[in-house]
Every structure is written in C-alpha cells, then in structure tokens.
Amino acid sequence: MHSAALFDIPASAENVKLKPKRPAPVHADRRWFADVDRVTYLGTHQPVWLEREEFGQDCIPLCVAQHRLSGRSTLPRAITPWMLDSGGYKHLEKYGAWTLSPYTYAADARRYYDEISMMDVCAIQDWMCEDEILAATGLTVADHQLKTVASYLNLMTLDAELPWMPIIQGRTLDDYLRCIDLYDQVGIDLTLEPVVGIGSVCRLQRTDEAARIIETIWSMGIRLHGFGFKVTGLRRVAQLLYSSDSMAWSYNAVNREPMPGCVGQHVHCGNCPKYARAWRNQLLNSLPDDPQLLLAA
C-alpha cells in the first residue's frame, strides 16, 4: 500500500486555472427522493450501537466518525447498515490540516469494512469551507476544493474496492459547480457515483441559498448526501437528498431533562438510544408529503 504514488496538490491554488462556471443542465426526468428511497443516518458517539438489537430490528442506519473507532483493539460487528464519517470538521479545526495520512485512513477504513461489516459508504478526507475552518488552515476555498478532490483520488488509488464517497465543497453555488468541474477534469463523472457528499452547507441549511444550491445540483442528476442536517434544514430539502445524517438529536437532548422512562438512569439523553430512535421517527414523520412544499417550508 505504501508504494502507491499519491497525487501532489500544490500548497496554494492561486496559480491553478479553474474552468469558468458552466450552466447546470436540468434533467427533466429527475425524481424526488420519497421517504422509502431516502436514507437518514442516525449519528452516534457510541460505535457499540452498531450491534444493538433495536437498531438492527428496525434497520436504522447509523453514522459513526473515524475517531470513535480508531485505535480500538476490538470492533463491534454491525447488524444494521452504517456510514463512516471522516470527522474532518473537528480534525481540521483542531490541527489546521489532516494529520492522519491517506495510507492510515485507507487502512483503517479497510479494517472497519472487513471487521464491522455492513458499511454503506465511507467519506473521504475532505476539507470543509466554513469560515472557522478556513481560518484554522490559512488556505482558500479553491485550495480546499483541490485537496478534497485529491483525497478522493488518493483513497481510490490506495483501495478502490472500498465504497468511497466523493464530496464537493464550497461556499456559493458557483463554488460547488466549479468543484464538480474539478472532478470532471480528472475524469470523475459525479452523476455516475452512487452518492456524493455536499459539504459545508449545514451553516446555510435554513436559507434559500442552501435550497438553491442543492436543487441545482440535484437537477444535474447527482445523488447527494447532506452532512449534519438539522430538522428545519432537512424539511426544506429532504426530497432532493438521496441521504443525510445528523447528530442534532444528541445536541438537543443534552439541553433537556431525560425523557420519561429515563429519569434516574442518566442526567440527559445525549447518548440514549431510546431518545435517538424517537427523535428520528419524529423527524421522518414531520417531513412534508408534497415535495413542492419543501422549498417553501
């Protein structure tokens, strides 16, 4: 594995010539993702949930971050589908760069795929474009986009059999379209990928801009995964997303009293499977039935 030649991305993107923004083609046959099609991953701090009976019985897919699994001598054996999140936001915020090499990340992901099983997708080591992350890295949006595309190429080079999920990054619609073009320039047609992550939109998810970005990319025939969507944000764009994940239930529970039946068992339900399942059910039941109502929500 260590003999693989990885892609060399310049320290700065100032001299990299990007294609001009292209108009987004509209696919008239694009369909909405109804409840039965959309995958809603429940984020968890607890990898052991992957083998809990109630999640397997109800086939509730889970999302677990890399740092929650890294370094464990033994891993849970999943009985429900799950996705691997890179944990990149916290990592870049803390270190200002990826300190985990592509070799290590690919080897870890391979171990999780083999030993845990039932992995749907694994996120690449993308570079988010929120203000605080750009401040931590000292780089530009264009730099982050190049490094994100390079991560996908590097991880595919190291282990092409894993279900790597390419991710597009940006701040504006033009940014995201240019990121799609970057993939196109290296021969990656994102419309052919099973699912493509759209990063750095959680800060915009309640806004018309986020809805416009997601609707435009959806219309291009790209199946999108939304990272970290809260209830209000997901209600706006749910049926434009192939899948999404959220830890909002845990943050919500930390600031509340324990739910009935949990009083005396824990101070709050921030790591409570009963609360997490109830929150997810309530979320799914709250989504508009009519797709046309989503963008007006």
Side-chain angles (χ1 to χ4, degrees), residues 192-215:
L192 301 179
E193 296 295 320
V195 63
V196 175
I198 179 166
S200 305
V201 292
C202 58
R203 62 187 168 82
L204 294 172
Q205 61 183 269
R206 296 187 183 186
T207 68
D208 292 338
E209 174 69 2
R212 186 168 72 97
I213 290 169
I214 291 172
E215 184 176 24

Side-chain angles (χ1 to χ4, degrees), residues 66-291:
Q66 149 74 8
H67 62 274
R68 297 289 176 180
L69 297 167
S70 179
R72 288 175 174 255
S73 58
T74 59
L75 295 168
R77 189 70 176 176
I79 60 173
T80 193
W82 69 289
M83 67 169 284
L84 176 68
D85 183 82
S86 70
Y89 184 95
K90 290 185 177 179
H91 193 97
L92 293 178
E93 186 178 42
K94 182 176 181 179
Y95 299 109
W98 273 103
T99 62
L100 192 67
S101 75
Y103 301 107
T104 301
Y105 188 69
D108 285 350
R110 166 52 66 182
R111 182 186 175 217
Y112 307 149
Y113 184 86
D114 291 341
E115 296 185 23
I116 297 176
S117 78
M118 298 190 72
M119 179 194 287
D120 281 343
V121 293
C122 42
I124 61 172
Q125 293 175 286
D126 59 319
W127 292 65
M128 297 77 195
C129 294
E130 286 90 346
D131 288 339
E132 56 273 23
I133 304 302
L134 293 171
T137 67
L139 300 175
T140 66
V141 170
D143 291 323
H144 282 215
Q145 290 175 320
L146 285 166
K147 289 178 179 292
T148 295
V149 174
S151 174
Y152 179 70
L153 296 176
N154 288 334
L155 293 170
M156 284 292 290
T157 298
L158 292 169
D159 194 337
E161 294 182 355
L162 290 176
W164 300 113
M165 176 170 63
I167 297 173
I168 53 176
Q169 285 289 352
R171 294 171 62 89
T172 66
L173 175 57
D174 285 359
D175 289 337
Y176 287 104
L177 294 177
R178 289 193 178 99
C179 194
I180 293 169
D181 277 335
L182 284 175
Y183 278 99
D184 184 61
Q185 288 179 55
V186 295
I188 307 298
D189 182 351
L190 294 181
T191 66
L192 301 179
E193 296 295 320
V195 63
V196 175
I198 179 166
S200 305
V201 292
C202 58
R203 62 187 168 82
L204 294 172
Q205 61 183 269
R206 296 187 183 186
T207 68
D208 292 338
E209 174 69 2
R212 186 168 72 97
I213 290 169
I214 291 172
E215 184 176 24
T216 300
I217 299 171
W218 167 83
S219 74
M220 298 169 70
I222 296 174
R223 292 173 291 278
L224 289 174
H225 174 87
F227 291 98
F229 267 76
K230 299 179 177 65
V231 174
T232 51
L234 192 58
R235 284 175 182 161
R236 293 178 65 89
V237 296
Q239 290 179 298
L240 302 175
L241 294 173
Y242 179 82
S243 61
S244 63
D245 69 80
S246 183
M247 279 290 302
W249 68 270
S250 182
Y251 303 130
N252 179 276
V254 167
N255 299 310
R256 295 172 177 264
E257 294 294 321
M259 66 185 298
C262 294
V263 177
Q265 296 183 25
H266 35 245
V267 177
H268 58 72
C269 288
N271 282 303
C272 173
K274 183 188 297 185
Y275 186 98
R277 293 169 67 211
W279 179 92
R280 182 176 182 273
N281 289 336
Q282 185 177 28
L283 165 66
L284 296 179
N285 290 332
S286 72
L287 299 178
D289 293 328
D290 183 353

